[in-house]
Amino acid sequence: MGAPTVEPADDRLIAATLAGDDAAFAELARRYKTRVLGIAARFARHGHELEDLGQEIFVKAWQHLAQFRGDAPFEHWLSRIAVRTCYDALRRRRREPDQVPVDSVPLAAPDEAGAAAARDRLERALAGLSAAERLVITLLELHEHSVREVAA
C-alpha cells in the first residue's frame, strides 16, 4: 500500500486539532469553506439553509475527525461528509409544493439571455429531481467525481 495522500499541511492541522488546538480546525474550515459551501449550495433552497448545512457539515467533520484515516485526501473525506449531510437534509425536508417538474423547464429560451437565467433554469430543473437523482448529477457533473466514487 502506498503512502497516505494527505497534504502535509492538512496532516499537521488534523494532528493539532486532535491534540486540542481549536485554531487548527478553524484553519481547516477556512481552507475548505468554499468547497463545502459549494456542495451545500446545490442542495439548499434558501440562504439560511446553506448556512445551516455548512455549519452542520463542519460540526460533523470535527466530531468524526479522529476517524479520518488519511488514505485519501482530507478534502475528499470532507466532501463525502458534506454530500452525506446534504443528502440527509434532503430526506428530512418535506417535498415542497412549489417545485417545478423537470419536463416543464425549457432547456433553452431565446428571450432569457445570460448566465443568471441559465443558472435559474438549472436550479429549477435540479429542484424537480428526486434527492437521489440530484445527488448523482451533482457528484458526476458539478464535482467531477468518478462513477466509482458516486456509486460508493
Side-chain angles (χ1 to χ4, degrees):
M1 200 103 188
T5 57
V6 177
E7 290 183 28
D10 286 349
D11 192 27
R12 286 192 300 272
L13 290 171
I14 291 165
T17 300
L18 292 173
D21 183 358
D22 292 337
F25 188 76
E27 173 59 23
L28 283 170
R30 185 202 59 75
R31 183 176 292 179
Y32 295 106
K33 179 180 179 179
T34 302
R35 172 86 168 156
V36 165
L37 292 179
I39 293 169
R42 301 294 176 203
F43 295 87
R45 292 188 182 150
H46 308 287
H48 63 83
E49 284 181 332
L50 179 60
E51 293 170 19
D52 291 347
L53 280 172
Q55 185 174 8
E56 186 177 352
I57 291 163
F58 282 112
V59 166
K60 284 184 179 182
W62 181 77
Q63 289 172 334
H64 299 288
L65 191 60
Q67 296 171 2
F68 176 67
R69 295 186 314 258
D71 54 358
F74 176 74
E75 181 178 8
H76 292 177
W77 181 81
L78 183 60
S79 293
R80 284 192 306 266
I81 289 176
V83 169
R84 288 180 185 145
T85 301
C86 291
Y87 191 62
D88 289 344
L90 283 174
R91 280 189 273 148
R92 285 191 309 258
R93 183 174 59 205
R94 291 185 188 154
R95 193 171 172 96
E96 296 178 5
D98 65 342
Q99 288 186 354
V100 178
V102 175
D103 299 342
S104 69
V105 178
L107 293 177
D111 60 332
E112 292 182 357
R119 180 174 172 84
D120 182 56
R121 285 194 314 273
L122 175 62
E123 287 176 2
R124 286 186 294 149
L126 285 173
L129 297 175
S130 72
E133 293 166 335
R134 188 179 328 176
L135 177 63
V136 169
I137 288 174
T138 299
L139 291 175
L140 282 173
E141 299 299 328
L142 301 176
H143 295 287
E144 299 177 353
H145 288 282
S146 70
V147 172
R148 179 175 292 175
E149 290 173 318
V150 173

